Amino acid sequence: MKLAYWMYAGPAHIGTLRVASSFKNVHAIMHAPLGDDYFNVMRSMLERERDFTPVTASVVDRHVLARGSQEKVVDNITRKDSEDNPDLIILTPTCTSSILQEDLQNFVDRAQMDSKGDVMLADVNHYRVNELQAADRTLQQVVQYYTEKARKKGDLPQGKTEKPSVNIIGISTLGFHNQHDCTELKKLMGDLGIEVNVVIPDGASVHELKNLSRAWFNLVPYRELGMMAVEYLAKEFEMPYVDITPMGVVETARCIRKIQQVINQQGADVNYEAFIEDQTLHVSQAAWFSRSIDCQNLTGKKAVVFGDNTHAAAMTKILAREMGIHVVWAGTYCKYDADWFREQVSEYCDEVLITDDHGEIGDAIARVEPSAIFGTQMERHVGKRLNIPCGVIAAPIHIQNFPIGYKPFMGYEGTNQVADLVYNSFTLGMEDHLLEIFGGHDTKEVITKGISADSDLNWTKDGLAELNKIPGFVRGKVKRNTEKFARDRGIKNIDVEVLYAAKESVGA
Amino acid sequence: MTVAQSQSSNPESLNFECETGNYHTFCPISCVAWLYQKIEDSFFLVIGTKTCGYFLQNAMGVMIFAEPRYAMAELEEGDISAKLNDYEELKRLCLQIKRDRNPSVIVWIGTCTTEIIKMDLEGLAPNLEEEIGIPIVVARANGLDYAFTQGEDTVLAAMAARCPKEAPVAQSDKDERSGIKKLLNFGKKKEEIAQEESEYVDHPPLVLFGSLPDPVVTQLSLELKKQGIKVSGWLPAKRFTELPVIEEGYYVSGINPFLSRTATTLMRRRKCKLIGAPFPIGPDGSRAWIEKICSVFGITPKGLDEREAQIWENLEDYVKLIRGKSVFFMGDNLLEISLARFLIRCGMTVPEIGIPYMDKRYQAAELAFLEKTCKDMGVPLPTIVEKPDNYNQLQRIKEIKPDLVITGMAHANPLEARGINTKWSVEFTFAQIHGFTNARDILELVTRPLRRNNSLKDLGWDKLVKEEAQV
């Protein structure tokens, strides 16, 4: 048992659901008790999704506990199959079904006989893997399933596309700025003269999966999601992949050079050096930003970085290599992939921190007192408590991290966005500090304005006590309304009853 | 039989249906969110998995960052396979909580996992309580058995067993017990307190149950005081150490519709008499609630006519917006019957009331009041759908096209995108909705989507999905 208040990566089924609901016309059925369909709320709220999230629960209740699911799961699958005609239904185990140890594969096999669509059991163990690992595994599983299916039917397309082409693998729902990154990556591929063959899982149909092998190579922008799928494709079709995250000016260039090498090996004859130079010097503002006076002021400032592998590693390199900022420590909560992270960042920071205990991270922040933090929402709150500004760079995230404006972190526009994020975090911190030195904009005590400033009214103790229970930001308004109410009626003593009578009369 | 058919077959009384139970609601462990704030000296330990933790973390949003007095005891593979000793593990965590927070009570929330692996929390608690010297209350608020607000019911039912059995007799004891009360009296003289007592009619002790924000507790207590009724205590009180005395023969009354286990416990275990009344939600409900309590104590209520009329008058601007409109409750928090009854009194029609669980005995007075309200207002009786099926409900919503759907967040945005007004149901559990004073707050919530969409109505932006996607 572990005492825990907060977790960075969610439970395994969340990863499976993220992949399932990213695909078009794929439905997930969770084998779970009532209330475990909270994923639907998150997707509907955070992504502001217009469509119903294609996830339902086959509810595990007391009866299931006593007698087993029996026909229930099979019925729910076939029912969903006839209601929505999905291409694929993924039966998703949860922590509850992990310990019930029902033979879910058997349910899947039986349901498959009566379903028009395909039915599959997500192969994830709740107690062994987290959200990210489960998502990675589920994506690979779906890719493998449809590759094998096409091969069996003999309609696996042969050969490559005529022009160089790419699959972008790992864009998913509830991923940090995934939609914007995807747009930016497609634009980048367009600029490089590379066709986008298939993007998975987001917005893809499972029918497209058999075409994956037609691309010249795969691009995996995120370390956490897609690696298993591209490794599978590499094994099956000898497809090369590029797993350099194009985040930051230097890494974007490195990613493009790698792409150049990969496609030239297959007979293309491209040279992207001029493109890289043009983008770096003239299109992206980030390179110029790092030369400008503003950025000079950031030299040697202390920062700490924490997040998932992809974003924390890329951010650390940007801060240290491109902006001259001193990264005291960089950390990740992807403990299962810690070696990769260490290898990526160790030359760019003093210390590497691998943990998923937010308390430890909070202490590490307090210890080094950085000028800015780049982390998740949790670090943002630590920053608030310690009065240190924080730029959010990775999940877990809140609704404000799903902006509707265009905010990629990848590609050349991404470099601009990251530069803004970094700059704004630091200046705000500086401003705050200067304000403190010079005594602030204004005094903290706001002079009471309006009619109650010079009150002829008497608040009784119980009235005052009740008034103080009202949240600060409306208290002034309630006080004024109540006093007006009392004055209008010639009431001299305001007690708790007058307070509520006033509330009823003005309806505020 | 479809819901529509059954409704036409018997228009004279309420129709009760039961569907598949495939619906969206919050897990009952969410009750820790409001209970830890209500009971200030408590600590809630949810014994479950990452799934439970993830739900709490996301459902409670910013509250999580405020050093909450709750935590997960996250079960690991060793706990599931019984490689680790439950008692020793819980002892280790509870000692850590005692050291860091020193609470007056630790509430263990049992979850689905503890049910399935049959962890004997009720058996472990008394021993551990003895060993560490802090009361441990066990509530099995899991998704196998309960929905959302029923979580509070399981906690309060467990708390009911901890209420002191008898009022201290000796004056010295009394002084000790009411030390805090004395402070609150600001050193008032004895005569003054005695005079305060005389404002009440002589009636047997009344204890109210249900967790409400403190301002609402004050409001409802004052409301009864106007009738000369004294509230001897609330379950729960602000602090665990202030749980009310409950003796055999006391009267109790529930203020929320989801407290049936607590009511049962108070009646059977504590030998209390339950005043079955409609719940004080809406001015009509508040009045009926007070009247019922008065009638049990043989008091003639005074001034309620004017009071109710006054409130309705103040609500008129909001009532105008919803009169003649229809509202569909998908059902997820058990407040549905009372809210529907109030909205029918406001002039709305209700084609369907979805509800997770319907206790016809505990809610009897509320159901009768609903029936009467429908007759008074001349509207058809709604169908009450227990354990609804969200998929079927969406088909019915598509067919009926109600003016407002009260639903969970999973369906709200998709419905809005299809031009259907929605109100997020969870807000009703967190807003202050009880008593005369807060009737306006209910309508503030109900009318918000209508007011918002009134101001947007000329833009032609109602339907924002391309093809009618499959519901």
Side-chain angles (χ1 to χ4, degrees), chain A residues 88-106:
Chain A
L88 169 67
I89 290 177
I90 301 181
L91 182 60
T92 309
T94 58
C95 59
T96 308
S97 53
S98 285
I99 25 178
L100 282 177
Q101 297 194 326
E102 288 193 88
D103 188 356
L104 296 181
Q105 186 59 51
N106 173 37

Side-chain angles (χ1 to χ4, degrees), chain A residues 2 51 62 79 500 504, chain B residues 74 145 219 307 418 437:
Chain A
K2 198 169 86 181
D51 281 320
R62 190 57 68 176
R79 179 185 159 189
Y500 287 124
E504 285 162 23
Chain B
E74 195 183 310
D145 299 308
Q219 289 159 10
R307 183 115 173 85
R418 284 158 182 77
T437 317

Side-chain angles (χ1 to χ4, degrees), chain A residues 1-14 25 33-38 40-42 44-46 48-53 57-62 65 72 76 79-80 83-85 94-97 99-100 125-131 356 377-381 385 396-398 461-462 465-466 469 496-497 500-501 503-508, chain B residues 20-27 43 45 49-51 53-55 57-59 64-65 67-68 70-77 79-80 84 86 89-90 92-93 96-97 101 112-113 115-117 119 142-147 186 214-215 218-219 222 226 307 311 314 389 391-392 394 409-411 413-415 417-418 437-438 440-441 464-465 469-471:
Chain A
M1 260 180 229
K2 198 169 86 181
L3 196 64
Y5 300 86
W6 170 266
M7 69 185 82
Y8 285 96
H13 70 269
I14 297 287
N25 212 23
L34 197 66
D36 273 5
D37 57 353
Y38 191 74
N40 296 33
V41 176
M42 291 183 56
S44 175
M45 279 301 289
L46 299 178
R48 295 184 195 85
E49 186 51 59
R50 298 177 199 212
D51 281 320
F52 293 97
T53 300
S58 175
V59 177
V60 175
D61 58 15
R62 190 57 68 176
L65 214 54
K72 200 170 181 179
N76 277 318
R79 179 185 159 189
K80 191 45 74 183
E83 280 168 358
D84 284 355
N85 303 308
T94 58
C95 59
T96 308
S97 53
I99 25 178
L100 282 177
N125 180 332
H126 182 91
Y127 293 94
R128 302 274 166 86
V129 297
N130 70 16
E131 168 188 355
D356 54 5
Q377 279 291 339
M378 192 67 203
E379 283 67 54
R380 192 173 73 86
H381 282 267
R385 255 210 312 268
I397 37 186
H398 285 169
K461 275 190 179 123
D462 63 335
E466 200 67 17
K469 284 185 201 160
V496 56
E497 295 188 38
Y500 287 124
K503 180 181 184 220
E504 285 162 23
S505 90
V506 297
Chain B
T20 62
N22 277 321
Y23 64 102
H24 164 75
T25 182
F26 274 13
C27 175
F43 191 99
L45 184 67
T49 61
K50 255 185 186 317
T51 307
Y54 197 66
F55 164 70
Q57 171 173 327
N58 286 294
I64 207 100
F65 300 107
E67 296 253 336
Y70 77 81
M72 291 292 309
E74 195 183 310
L75 301 170
E76 291 165 305
E77 212 163 2
D79 299 302
I80 304 300
L84 298 166
D86 297 339
E89 290 297 299
L90 284 166
R92 186 169 54 80
L93 300 193
Q96 191 180 337
I97 292 165
R101 306 296 181 95
C112 303
T113 310
E115 288 297 310
I116 297 171
I117 64 175
M119 194 185 278
N142 61 70
L144 295 167
D145 299 308
Y146 305 108
F186 298 110
D214 293 336
T218 313
Q219 289 159 10
L222 281 172
K226 283 180 190 155
R307 183 115 173 85
I311 298 289
N314 289 338
D389 184 295
Y391 182 86
N392 296 343
L394 291 173
M409 205 43 119
H411 298 112
N413 267 338
L415 284 170
R418 284 158 182 77
T437 317
N438 298 308
R440 199 176 168 85
D441 294 46
L464 294 156
V465 275
Q470 290 150 332
V471 172

Side-chain angles (χ1 to χ4, degrees), chain B residues 114-371:
Chain B
T114 56
E115 288 297 310
I116 297 171
I117 64 175
K118 299 194 167 37
M119 194 185 278
D120 181 20
L121 297 179
E122 276 99 342
L124 298 175
N127 295 336
L128 192 55
E129 178 169 326
E130 183 105 333
E131 201 175 336
I132 67 170
I134 295 179
I136 295 174
V137 171
V138 180
R140 293 154 68 165
N142 61 70
L144 295 167
D145 299 308
Y146 305 108
F148 196 12
T149 49
Q150 289 180 289
E152 175 180 321
D153 194 23
T154 61
V155 174
L156 295 190
M159 289 261 177
R162 300 299 182 119
C163 292
K165 284 216 170 52
E166 51 190 31
V169 197
Q171 186 59 41
S172 58
D173 286 2
K174 201 172 180 177
D175 282 349
E176 240 164 72
R177 254 195 79 78
S178 59
I180 291 169
K181 212 173 186 178
K182 231 170 151 187
L183 271 177
L184 289 176
N185 281 333
F186 298 110
K188 264 187 221 164
K189 288 196 190 105
K190 262 215 179 99
E191 305 88 78
E192 280 179 64
I193 295 170
Q195 191 220 330
E196 243 171 47
E197 294 292 321
S198 72
E199 290 169 24
Y200 295 109
V201 180
D202 189 31
H203 64 80
L206 170 69
V207 172
L208 301 180
F209 58 95
S211 163
L212 289 179
D214 293 336
V216 186
V217 167
T218 313
Q219 289 159 10
L220 290 181
S221 305
L222 281 172
E223 216 62 73
L224 290 175
K225 187 179 166 195
K226 283 180 190 155
Q227 306 300 335
I229 296 169
K230 185 174 177 186
V231 179
S232 306
W234 281 81
L235 173 68
K238 264 168 87 89
R239 304 176 66 81
F240 181 75
T241 48
E242 292 163 17
L243 279 179
V245 172
I246 298 180
E247 287 184 56
E248 189 172 336
Y250 273 26
Y251 281 82
V252 291
S253 178
I255 46 86
N256 266 323
F258 44 77
L259 298 172
S260 40
R261 283 176 69 91
T262 310
T264 311
T265 308
L266 288 169
M267 287 191 293
R268 295 202 185 141
R269 301 275 162 118
R270 308 304 303 257
K271 311 280 184 251
C272 294
K273 291 173 187 152
L274 177 72
I275 302 178
F279 301 99
I281 292 171
D284 49 341
S286 304
R287 177 186 175 165
W289 180 70
I290 295 169
E291 278 178 343
K292 183 64 196 278
I293 295 175
C294 285
S295 81
V296 169
F297 292 146
I299 299 168
T300 316
K302 18 176 215 283
L304 282 180
D305 264 337
E306 302 79 35
R307 183 115 173 85
E308 194 193 346
Q310 182 64 47
I311 298 289
W312 281 113
E313 197 179 301
N314 289 338
L315 297 179
E316 181 55 27
D317 55 337
Y318 276 170
V319 173
K320 229 167 29 199
L321 291 172
I322 53 174
R323 197 171 278 139
K325 296 215 158 70
S326 59
V327 54
F328 188 110
F329 286 86
M330 286 187 79
D332 69 350
N333 60 17
L334 287 97
L335 294 171
E336 291 88 1
I337 304 287
S338 311
L339 288 172
R341 178 260 303 152
F342 167 53
L343 292 180
I344 290 170
R345 180 61 70 181
C346 289
M348 295 189 91
T349 55
V350 184
E352 175 165 334
I353 306 175
I355 187 168
Y357 168 72
M358 182 75 245
D359 185 336
K360 288 187 198 166
R361 284 210 301 182
Y362 176 64
Q363 292 222 43
E366 183 64 84
L367 286 168
F369 196 33
L370 169 69
E371 224 172 308

Side-chain angles (χ1 to χ4, degrees), chain B residues 405-459:
Chain B
V405 175
I406 295 184
T407 179
M409 205 43 119
H411 298 112
N413 267 338
L415 284 170
E416 288 282 350
R418 284 158 182 77
I420 301 211
N421 296 321
T422 60
K423 181 74 227 144
W424 187 30
S425 52
V426 172
E427 285 197 65
F428 292 101
T429 49
F430 294 122
Q432 304 189 351
I433 62 170
H434 292 79
F436 287 117
T437 317
N438 298 308
R440 199 176 168 85
D441 294 46
I442 307 176
L443 289 187
E444 156 74 30
L445 290 177
V446 171
T447 59
R448 193 180 296 155
L450 303 168
R451 283 180 284 130
R452 195 268 312 265
N453 293 346
N454 267 347
S455 42
L456 304 183
K457 72 169 179 257
D458 296 329
L459 296 169

Side-chain angles (χ1 to χ4, degrees), chain A residues 188-338:
Chain A
L188 181 63
M189 294 304 129
D191 291 346
L192 298 176
I194 296 171
E195 283 172 1
V196 176
N197 187 48
V198 179
V199 178
I200 58 167
D202 197 62
S205 153
V206 291
H207 302 305
E208 296 172 54
L209 292 174
K210 64 171 187 286
N211 298 327
L212 281 170
S213 61
R214 298 203 12 103
W216 290 32
F217 71 101
N218 293 312
L219 174 63
V220 209
Y222 306 109
R223 172 75 191 171
E224 292 77 18
L225 176 53
M227 285 309 293
M228 283 180 81
V230 295
E231 267 153 22
Y232 167 77
L233 292 168
K235 201 178 88 212
E236 285 298 301
F237 304 105
E238 293 174 2
M239 286 180 82
Y241 61 82
V242 175
D243 61 351
I244 299 165
T245 303
M247 190 175 150
V249 179
V250 178
E251 289 298 286
T252 303
R254 203 157 76 85
C255 176
I256 295 173
R257 289 195 182 105
K258 177 78 184 174
I259 291 172
Q260 171 180 315
Q261 182 202 340
V262 162
I263 61 177
N264 281 348
Q265 272 167 3
Q266 298 176 60
D269 180 22
V270 293
N271 186 339
Y272 292 136
E273 287 307 325
F275 172 78
I276 293 171
E277 184 171 303
D278 184 50
Q279 289 285 330
T280 305
L281 299 184
H282 306 297
V283 178
S284 160
Q285 297 296 318
W288 157 234
F289 169 77
S290 51
R291 266 321 281 244
S292 69
I293 299 297
D294 279 333
C295 198
Q296 216 177 73
N297 286 335
L298 301 182
T299 309
K301 284 251 169 317
K302 282 198 287 186
V304 297
V305 180
F306 190 80
D308 59 9
N309 268 357
T310 303
H311 292 91
M315 204 63 202
T316 305
K317 291 181 201 168
I318 294 172
L319 292 172
R321 192 163 57 182
E322 298 178 18
M323 297 181 176
I325 289 160
H326 176 194
V327 180
V328 185
W329 56 258
T332 178
Y333 54 81
C334 299
K335 282 160 78 173
Y336 63 95
D337 197 17

Side-chain angles (χ1 to χ4, degrees), chain A residues 167-181:
Chain A
N167 300 316
I168 301 176
I169 293 182
I171 308 286
S172 83
T173 189
L174 290 173
F176 183 72
H177 291 239
N178 272 208
Q179 307 297 330
H180 309 299
D181 284 346

